[in-house]
Amino acid sequence: MDVERTALILIDIQNIYFTPGDYLLDEPERAATQASRLLSGFRELGLPVFHIRHLFGEDDAPGVEQLRAHHESVAALPKETVIDKRHPNAFLETDLRRQLENMGVQRLVVAGMMSHMCIDTTVRAAQDFGYDVLLVDDACTTKPLQTRMGLVSATVVHEVFMASLDGTFASVLKTDACLALLRQEKSK
């Protein structure tokens, strides 16, 4: 794969997931730190970056803009694209696909929040559109889920979704491995 046809998709690394309450995720700082390392690597390599932002809640609700904002660790630079969405799938009713096509992107590196929702949905859609996907699991996180059988920990939820995507919908790897691969490709 030509590294120049690779783009980073950072999904929903937003303040709401770091804020105590119903949306607080499992160790969001850990995932954001790894996502920030990916972001730095893409910037160093001069590769395109897309920041996806979920527009939950009412637009005029008090404090909603601060909660919707991307976490400071992965804030977009002026030259980087920010795409707003209202559905779990980052492609649905957005121009993400058109922008990727215009840039000739064939491979996506995906990271963000939440593993069981927007990450899963977007990765599956990316395969439908023919993209190769590298899913960086240590730069993703989620939350515990209540089932009929009881509470499933965030760790188990995350691992199950990564396992279900790996090999069929994406290649799941760690931040260090992803960055090493991209740097190796760039040096050729």
Side-chain angles (χ1 to χ4, degrees):
M1 176 65 64
D2 180 3
V3 71
E4 300 301 327
R5 295 189 176 274
T6 302
L8 177 61
I9 310 294
L10 293 176
I11 300 175
D12 302 348
I13 305 176
Q14 295 170 251
N15 289 332
I16 193 167
Y17 296 126
F18 296 78
T19 304
D22 292 342
Y23 292 98
L24 178 63
L25 299 185
D26 183 53
E27 299 184 45
E29 296 83 5
R30 175 200 48 79
T33 296
Q34 297 306 321
S36 178
R37 291 183 58 225
L38 283 172
L39 180 57
S40 293
F42 269 75
R43 287 172 175 166
E44 289 168 17
L45 294 168
L47 299 174
V49 175
F50 292 82
H51 300 263
I52 310 300
R53 181 173 77 144
H54 193 84
L55 297 179
F56 60 87
E58 298 300 319
D59 291 345
D60 60 351
V64 74
E65 279 307 311
Q66 175 57 29
L67 292 174
R68 284 180 177 176
H70 285 110
H71 190 263
E72 64 186 2
S73 64
V74 293
L77 295 177
K79 66 179 181 175
E80 294 169 347
T81 303
V82 176
I83 294 178
D84 290 334
K85 67 179 178 63
R86 292 200 180 268
H87 304 284
N89 176 354
F91 292 99
L92 183 60
E93 297 178 4
T94 72
D95 69 345
L96 176 59
R97 184 175 179 204
R98 182 189 57 77
Q99 289 195 46
L100 293 169
E101 287 175 350
N102 288 345
M103 298 177 98
V105 171
Q106 296 176 348
R107 179 175 58 186
L108 306 178
V109 174
V110 177
M113 300 172 179
M114 298 184 281
S115 307
H116 78 279
M117 185 67 69
C118 298
I119 298 298
D120 176 67
T121 307
T122 300
V123 166
R124 289 174 189 269
Q127 186 206 46
D128 290 344
F129 295 132
Y131 294 104
D132 290 326
V133 179
L134 301 177
L135 177 54
V136 186
D137 80 330
D138 60 349
C140 298
T141 190
T142 196
K143 64 180 185 174
L145 293 179
Q146 185 65 49
T147 71
R148 291 174 297 199
M149 298 175 64
L151 188 67
V152 178
S153 74
T155 300
V156 171
V157 171
H158 175 78
E159 290 300 323
V160 166
F161 275 84
M162 294 300 110
S164 69
L165 293 170
D166 193 24
T168 302
F169 298 97
S171 296
V172 176
L173 68 169
K174 302 289 185 199
T175 301
D176 288 338
C178 182
L179 291 172
L181 173 67
L182 297 173
R183 288 180 177 129
Q184 177 186 16
E185 291 174 352
K186 185 77 170 183
S187 69
K188 289 183 179 180

